[in-house]
Amino acid sequence: MSPFLIRTLEFILAITILVALHEGGHFFFSKLFGVRVNKFFVFFDYKFKLFSTNFNWWRKLRGLPPAKKKEDGSYEYDGTEYGIGWIPLGGYCQIEGMIDETQHDLDKLQTPPEPWEFRGKPTWQRLLIMIGGVLVNFLLALIIYCAVFFTWGEDYIAVRDMPYGMKFNEQAKEIGFKDGDVLLGTNEGDFREFGAQMFRDIISSKEVRIKRDGKEMTVNTPADLSLLTMLKADPIFCRPLVPAEIDTILQATPAQKAGLKKGDKIIAIGSMESKDSVTWTEIDSWNAFTYEVGRMNDMLSDSKTSADSARIMTRQIAYQRNGQADTVAVTFTMSGNGGKDDMPVMGVGMTSIAKYVKPTHIDYNLLSCIPAGCGYAFGMLGGYVSDLQYVFSAEGAKSLGGFGAIGSMFPPVWDWYMFWMMTAFLSIILAFMNILPIPALDGGHVLFLLYEMIFRRKPSDKFMLYAEYVGMSILLLLMVVANLNDILRFFGIMY
């Protein structure tokens, strides 16, 4: 099965679980307080639906008579219609007597509220109905993280244990870092593992503690560091420095034809300036090697003739084998992926940092997994909320991603551990985004309910309707921008 198909299936399964449980939160509190729910749909059913049922067999089983037909041709309430739509953009719970994206009939709301309607319930009950989805999504994330830690434990590579330290870009070197520095922590605490949280810690600190040539020292950090700039730089602010030691040689590739072997350590790459002249670039890590391959790709896009392309693709590789240095000519080939992902390749598998340092493993029992899972969930939520500040910048808007970006976050092979970790993370995002005070989202309804509780009067139905239109317009605009970014990235127009 192709990686694209696997990621698509993982994404659809995760979204189905999250939407069903989110709407289930609204459904639970609605039923708890005796509010009728007309429809419960996973995905939207515009014009037609894939499946639906109202479980009339259950009504018959209980000996209840069939629903009576009213004068307008409709039937009396006969339970909830459960279904699956065909547009995987979310779902909905159609609650009787409530203005939302599924009900805009103001005339119907001019009549006195019925006991089973949303508008006929006390404010505190309506508030619980509206936050029910968010509560379920956040509780789901807590449960998943706890279950994952209990089942698999936790594995990570501590930053301070990385024997070769970090490979830094020019921005980091201007601040005072050097390749090979081992990151220890900041003035506020120790680093745990390489990742987004480590970069956030660097940004929020005044100084970073490092180990250089066996000695501990500090590097002062400027106040204007930006997480977005650090991560979007090419290369990024820093990465674990991993020696360019070949892990595997792929069959029928330039590396195999050139005679390279597993265990060879690449130490330099040379470009042919002329028949007898080679310009060498030192390679101290896979980071440096990948950067040089990227430069080759940029040069290919500017090449004018096939001879220019052939010269660019032919490189001298200096390597060490059993302590002895040697060189070999290698003619790279294109990966054949198409688009922006089509890159020069040599045909080797790279070693990872795990080859040089043993990961830290922590096992959790039924009790210890609860604080660990909850702490991890709150940490993910805090990091996500902190990063939202960048959305309102020009670069932040470009970094927005739609369904393609979300789907690409899933692993290309089916991995239950990664699937559940991603599902929990998306559940946190869904919970937070829904509680934002934007009309058409749960948070917008909560805002109006809080207004009603404070001022003892609710906004007019007309105002609520127009607010719903504005909220839907904002959400559609964000969705268009995010998915347009995905398309532009796919065609290499934007990075």
Side-chain angles (χ1 to χ4, degrees), residues 296-369:
M296 286 173 57
N297 198 50
D298 293 340
M299 293 168 66
L300 282 173
S301 62
D302 296 331
S303 62
K304 305 297 184 184
T305 65
S306 57
D308 289 338
S309 299
R311 178 179 56 81
I312 294 169
M313 294 287 277
T314 301
R315 296 288 164 139
Q316 293 290 321
I317 301 295
Y319 64 94
Q320 285 183 345
R321 180 184 298 168
N322 300 325
Q324 300 294 317
D326 202 352
T327 62
V328 65
V330 178
T331 301
F332 285 67
T333 58
M334 299 302 290
S335 60
N337 295 327
K340 67 182 181 65
D341 294 326
D342 200 10
M343 297 285 288
V345 294
M346 191 167 66
V348 298
M350 302 179 182
T351 51
S352 70
I353 189 64
K355 176 181 173 64
Y356 307 99
V357 56
K358 184 179 180 181
T360 300
H361 178 78
I362 304 174
D363 284 316
Y364 295 98
N365 58 32
L366 195 57
L367 291 178
S368 62
C369 73

Side-chain angles (χ1 to χ4, degrees), residues 192-387:
R192 187 172 187 267
E193 60 184 313
F194 179 81
Q197 186 56 50
M198 186 194 78
F199 289 103
R200 295 189 194 104
D201 291 341
I202 293 175
I203 291 169
S204 63
S205 67
K206 295 180 180 178
E207 59 184 30
V208 176
R209 293 180 288 110
I210 64 170
K211 182 183 289 185
R212 181 180 296 169
D213 300 326
K215 297 179 181 179
E216 291 194 16
M217 57 184 66
T218 60
V219 174
N220 295 325
T221 53
D224 59 349
L225 271 179
S226 163
L227 179 66
L228 198 62
T229 303
M230 294 169 76
L231 296 180
K232 287 182 72 70
D234 186 21
I236 68 170
F237 190 83
C238 68
R239 283 186 179 277
L241 197 156
V242 182
E245 182 179 338
I246 297 174
D247 183 66
T248 53
I249 299 290
L250 303 181
Q251 295 295 315
T253 59
Q256 185 187 48
K257 294 174 182 177
L260 291 171
K261 295 182 179 180
K262 177 180 179 178
D264 289 349
K265 182 179 178 181
I266 300 173
I267 56 176
I269 183 170
S271 58
M272 303 292 294
E273 301 300 330
S274 66
K275 185 176 180 180
D276 301 314
S277 176
V278 180
T279 300
W280 292 96
T281 301
E282 181 182 355
I283 300 296
D284 61 359
S285 63
W286 281 121
N287 312 78
F289 180 83
T290 303
Y291 179 73
E292 286 303 313
V293 171
R295 288 184 64 244
M296 286 173 57
N297 198 50
D298 293 340
M299 293 168 66
L300 282 173
S301 62
D302 296 331
S303 62
K304 305 297 184 184
T305 65
S306 57
D308 289 338
S309 299
R311 178 179 56 81
I312 294 169
M313 294 287 277
T314 301
R315 296 288 164 139
Q316 293 290 321
I317 301 295
Y319 64 94
Q320 285 183 345
R321 180 184 298 168
N322 300 325
Q324 300 294 317
D326 202 352
T327 62
V328 65
V330 178
T331 301
F332 285 67
T333 58
M334 299 302 290
S335 60
N337 295 327
K340 67 182 181 65
D341 294 326
D342 200 10
M343 297 285 288
V345 294
M346 191 167 66
V348 298
M350 302 179 182
T351 51
S352 70
I353 189 64
K355 176 181 173 64
Y356 307 99
V357 56
K358 184 179 180 181
T360 300
H361 178 78
I362 304 174
D363 284 316
Y364 295 98
N365 58 32
L366 195 57
L367 291 178
S368 62
C369 73
I370 296 174
C374 292
Y376 191 90
F378 281 106
M380 295 297 287
L381 175 62
Y384 180 74
V385 173
S386 172
D387 296 345

Side-chain angles (χ1 to χ4, degrees), residues 112-126:
E114 299 289 352
W116 58 78
E117 289 188 317
F118 176 83
R119 61 193 176 116
K121 298 299 179 181
T123 312
W124 68 271
Q125 291 185 4
R126 284 180 279 147

Side-chain angles (χ1 to χ4, degrees), residues 89 136 150 182 218 254 383 454:
L89 301 180
V136 167
F150 176 74
V182 177
T218 60
I454 295 171

Side-chain angles (χ1 to χ4, degrees), residues 31 47 146 151:
K31 289 295 187 180
K47 297 297 185 182
C146 292
T151 305

